[in-house]
Amino acid sequence: MKQIAQALVKAQKAFAPALKTSSNPHFKSRYADLAACVEAVIDALNNNGIALIQQTHECESGVIVETILLHESGEQMSGGKLHVPAAKQDPQGYGSALTYARRYSLMATCGIAPEDDDGNAASKRPDPDYAAFERQWLPMLQDAAMEGVAALNKQFAAMLNTGQKRALWAAHGPSLKNAAEKAGA
């Protein structure tokens, strides 16, 4: 466990926030979908020799997912098994439960959480002006990304060209761009 533990510590230093780029119209809220959670960790894991595996186990009432981190040395670490009951006993019910279980198992195993609307990323930055800037602009950029690349580019262009704008793009640009590309597909 020594090699995977050392690699995981290095990987966690490079994890990105799981951005809330998906919308739930029923609850009028945003959430970090499975793709955003994987995107937040996969490059850092792989760059440190760790493969991400999500194994399913038999279950009659829902799904059981186990997230396993496998190091190139052969060492592995399990996040434990997570059971999520299926709301409906049909393919959609099981599919929803599987996606939910994979997302939460991954976040728990890797120690990540969805971005905080109050500026969780700002707590890592000493600049209070940046935190206010991020709180003001990030939700607008996320909304624009949900409309596609053109809308994201237009919203980004509307921002003054400052160091805060560059820092915001450095922190969130890849995820925003990915969400915009998916929205336009």
Side-chain angles (χ1 to χ4, degrees), residues 36-58:
C37 293
V38 171
E39 183 180 335
V41 301
I42 196 68
D43 287 341
L45 288 172
N46 292 163
N47 290 341
N48 286 282
I50 301 172
L52 171 66
I53 301 167
Q54 290 195 296
Q55 186 173 4
T56 58
H57 299 274
E58 268 190 61

Side-chain angles (χ1 to χ4, degrees), residues 15-175:
F15 286 168
L19 296 178
K20 295 179 182 180
T21 56
S22 295
S23 295
N24 182 335
H26 181 71
F27 292 108
K28 296 181 181 168
S29 64
R30 292 189 165 290
Y31 67 97
D33 65 8
L34 177 59
C37 293
V38 171
E39 183 180 335
V41 301
I42 196 68
D43 287 341
L45 288 172
N46 292 163
N47 290 341
N48 286 282
I50 301 172
L52 171 66
I53 301 167
Q54 290 195 296
Q55 186 173 4
T56 58
H57 299 274
E58 268 190 61
C59 178
E60 291 183 21
S61 64
V63 298
I64 297 174
V65 170
E66 180 180 14
T67 298
I68 300 167
L69 303 177
L70 177 62
H71 189 255
E72 60 193 12
S73 67
E75 295 176 352
Q76 63 180 310
M77 180 184 297
S78 170
K81 295 178 181 178
L82 174 66
H83 173 260
V84 174
K88 297 186 290 182
Q89 302 297 308
D90 64 10
Q92 282 184 319
Y94 279 92
S96 292
L98 179 60
T99 300
Y100 186 91
R102 288 185 62 202
R103 184 165 43 117
Y104 280 90
S105 177
L106 174 62
M107 287 191 295
T109 301
C110 292
I112 64 167
E115 66 176 335
D116 184 350
D117 292 335
D118 293 332
N120 186 28
S123 67
K124 297 175 186 171
R125 293 178 171 83
D127 180 1
D129 294 333
Y130 176 83
F133 181 86
E134 185 178 52
R135 280 193 301 272
Q136 175 187 355
W137 286 100
L138 184 58
M140 288 187 252
L141 290 170
Q142 289 171 330
D143 288 342
M146 298 299 288
E147 296 175 30
V149 174
L152 177 61
N153 288 341
K154 183 178 178 182
Q155 184 66 52
F156 189 74
M159 300 167 63
L160 291 176
N161 194 14
T162 65
Q164 292 174 337
K165 177 181 178 179
R166 289 186 292 279
L168 181 72
W169 189 256
H172 303 288
S175 295

